[in-house]
Amino acid sequence: MENLNTIKMENLNKYVNNYITNKYVLEFVNKSAEICNPDKIYFCDGLEEEKKFLTGEAVKSGELIELNQEKFPGCILHRTAINDVARTEHLTYICTTKKEDAGPTNNWKSPEDAYEELSGYFRDSMKGRTMYVIPFMMGVPGSKMNKIGVELTDSIYVVLNMRIMTHTGRIVADDIIENNFTKGLHSKGELNLEKRRICHFPEDNTIMSVNSGYGGNVLLGKKCLALRIASYLSRKEGWMAEHMFLADIQTPDGKKFYIAGAFPSACGKTNLSMLIPPESLSGYKVRVIGDDIAWMYIGDDSRLWAINPEAGFFGVVPGTNIKTNKNAMLTIKKNTIFTNVLLKEDNTVWWEGMEDPPDKGIDWKGDAWTKDMKDEKGNLVPGEHPNSRFTAPISQCPVVSHEFSNSKGVPISAILFGGRRESVVPIVYESFNWQHGVFIGASLRSETTAAAMGVGKVVRNDPMAMIPFCGYNMGDYFTNWLDIGKRMKFPPKIFFVNWFRKNREGKFLWPGYGENLRVIEWIIKRCDTFSNNKEKEAVETPVGYIPAADAINTKGIEISKQDIKELLNIDVQEWLKEADEIDKFFSKFDRMPKELIKELNNLRERLKK
Ligand code: SAT
Ligand code: MN
């Protein structure tokens, strides 16, 4: 084969199961092998047999634990290193030639410096290990939006996760055309936090991740490709890559609405996208298309369409149980990878709230655990990590929408932005128009969660829930949003939602979970061009439209008029302070579009009136 001429014989001898002939892929494999020096190079074919074989290998080495196959068929448990439990944003870089192109919200390195530093960390990192070659596709089979990648990794955990999260193996091989694929190189290295780097080279369509084994850092198709690299490409190509769930909502009279929503990590995208309607709204059906990422484009009908490029859920475990998210619980009964949860004596898993605690088990660190164990402060010791996760195929979800595999995607009626805010922000408000909606997204602020390591609990600016995931200058990203809006005749309406507002006693005012459909119902009515009473159901305020009194259906829940009032309250003084915070954040950007500055000024003026 001509394409093998450049390949060192030594590397060729290491090949196992190779079926790939694309010379650019082989070149990438070989160049990487020269640096990482693996013992073997195994080409993953994605077939069923391979899962068994790889699981067996990883169980032998201790990388994975096979769970009770009667109770949890096809399920495994993985424990990460204790210093490697969430994305490490401070070690995540956008490596563009010009620093301005990464913008003020990203860490930046020059490609030259980054490659140099990384080649040191990758040097011999796979010695004594196998390099797995994973061809993968992000997208929906048949969609024009699809992107191909090849991830090289020394972790079987990564291979098994990628098999769930993406389309992998032989089925993808024919779609790799020439050099048109994202190159992803990952090595666990020594899991050394000091030398951990998650580097993106958008100009070279390349990702390099070293010294981590945690999901968001190492499943390179997910945040690295489908958001950071894809967002960079989407700006050039005129579409959008967003940190959004996609839900298919059917009303009692059979109308369909597709909604997309951007909330920061661990703020309830998964729960919302598959919620179970409360009894009093039981005529509704909510079906999930995606829970984390949406790729959006303008359709021929001048509406915004979206697909979910992922094939799996990488969901947050704590807080997931039969009451809060039954559909997730049913999804993860088989073929699921659990990360950092408690292992019970019968080789099943447990986490706080899932069911009554077992008397003892082995916690996420691998240590013996008992149910009344306390830490120095006298608090019960949890068995699972706060950012413990499940990886499961979306197709296993009892309420998966058939639109999940529609290569055209779905037309979006409403975009929701949301965050965790104890105060200030009402439970829901609607933007006046697209431009104002972009402003609302750009000024999103939310309390941080356990999904990112070492950021503590603070309210931070997280525009469009993309602060950790935007692969280029966010000023340009806002411009992309505005441009997309200008090109659409029928843009979706934009809303902000906040389920997390508290009263003066520090108690949540809203029951959340399935009851959130009550707010979604109002949103849908606002989007329904055929509904004739929508004007009556909203009130104009300085920040946007809010539901009129009684416009949110509260039949079947106990919530006082006073609490609803508080949930919708807009305090002018608090909002003026909010505007100052937005101003502070916006002023970081050289490339902030003037339309958003104007929206901020307009907000202040409306508040002062
Ligand atoms: O760890 S991931 O980035 O994959 C999940 C999340 O934080 O949103
Ligand atoms: Mn996410």
Side-chain angles (χ1 to χ4, degrees), residues 42 57 82 98 140 209 213 233 250 260 342 428 448 497 559 570 587:
Y42 176 92
E57 296 280 296
I82 294 170
K98 289 195 219 135
V140 178
S209 164
L233 292 173
Q250 187 180 320
L342 182 103
V428 60
T448 47
V497 296
I559 187 159
I570 287 161
S587 60

Side-chain angles (χ1 to χ4, degrees), residues 422 502-509 563 566:
E422 289 186 3
K502 289 182 174 171
N503 65 14
R504 261 175 233 109
E505 287 80 51
K507 280 227 175 81
F508 287 115
L509 283 159
D563 281 357
E566 232 176 291

Side-chain angles (χ1 to χ4, degrees), residues 9-51:
M9 201 53 205
E10 193 184 309
N11 281 336
L12 211 60
N13 287 338
K14 296 177 178 177
Y15 280 14
V16 183
N17 200 32
N18 182 30
Y19 56 92
I20 288 180
T21 53
N22 178 302
K23 82 170 185 191
Y24 299 97
V25 174
L26 294 174
E27 242 170 56
F28 170 50
V29 168
N30 281 278
K31 274 199 190 139
S32 307
E34 261 164 51
I35 300 171
C36 303
N37 197 14
D39 284 7
K40 275 193 272 183
I41 303 173
Y42 176 92
F43 291 77
C44 301
D45 58 28
L47 302 179
E48 201 47 41
E49 276 306 301
E50 184 174 274
K51 180 182 162 191

Side-chain angles (χ1 to χ4, degrees), residues 223 243 265 269 292:
K223 300 298 164 89
H243 190 206
S265 302
K269 289 194 299 299
D292 199 39

Side-chain angles (χ1 to χ4, degrees), residues 105-264:
T105 60
N106 281 312
N107 301 311
W108 174 84
K109 279 182 194 288
S110 76
E112 227 184 353
D113 289 353
Y115 283 130
E116 159 104 24
E117 183 187 32
L118 286 164
S119 64
Y121 298 156
F122 276 105
R123 174 87 41 221
D124 290 330
S125 63
M126 298 190 188
K127 216 170 164 183
R129 299 178 186 167
T130 299
M131 172 191 274
Y132 297 93
V133 180
I134 320 169
F136 66 94
M137 185 270 280
M138 303 304 296
V140 178
S143 167
K144 60 174 187 179
M145 305 292 290
N146 296 352
K147 301 280 177 219
I148 301 283
V150 175
E151 174 163 0
L152 313 178
T153 177
D154 52 5
S155 157
I156 293 182
Y157 172 72
V158 168
V159 179
L160 295 175
N161 272 277
M162 288 292 282
R163 283 175 58 106
I164 297 175
M165 298 305 297
T166 74
H167 302 262
T168 56
R170 280 180 186 271
I171 50 165
V172 180
D174 290 345
D175 296 336
I176 314 178
I177 310 295
E178 299 275 313
N179 204 6
N180 274 329
F181 62 97
T182 303
K183 297 179 182 66
L185 176 60
H186 164 249
S187 171
K188 293 181 281 189
E190 322 154 291
L191 298 176
N192 181 341
L193 183 60
E194 310 275 290
K195 297 181 182 169
R196 186 168 303 160
R197 298 289 181 271
I198 324 298
C199 292
H200 305 71
F201 304 85
E203 293 155 2
D204 301 341
N205 201 3
T206 294
I207 305 158
M208 294 171 88
S209 164
V210 68
N211 281 308
S212 173
Y214 169 75
N217 289 340
V218 301
L219 308 178
L220 302 186
K222 192 173 176 56
K223 300 298 164 89
C224 302
L225 194 171
L227 286 178
R228 296 195 191 97
I229 297 284
S231 62
Y232 170 89
L233 292 173
S234 71
R235 168 69 179 144
K236 287 213 282 197
E237 299 168 1
W239 52 285
M240 310 205 291
E242 298 300 328
H243 190 206
M244 290 182 182
F245 72 81
L246 288 173
D248 162 344
I249 316 242
Q250 187 180 320
T251 64
D253 51 358
K255 285 185 198 152
K256 284 274 198 174
F257 293 88
Y258 301 102
I259 62 174
F263 309 166

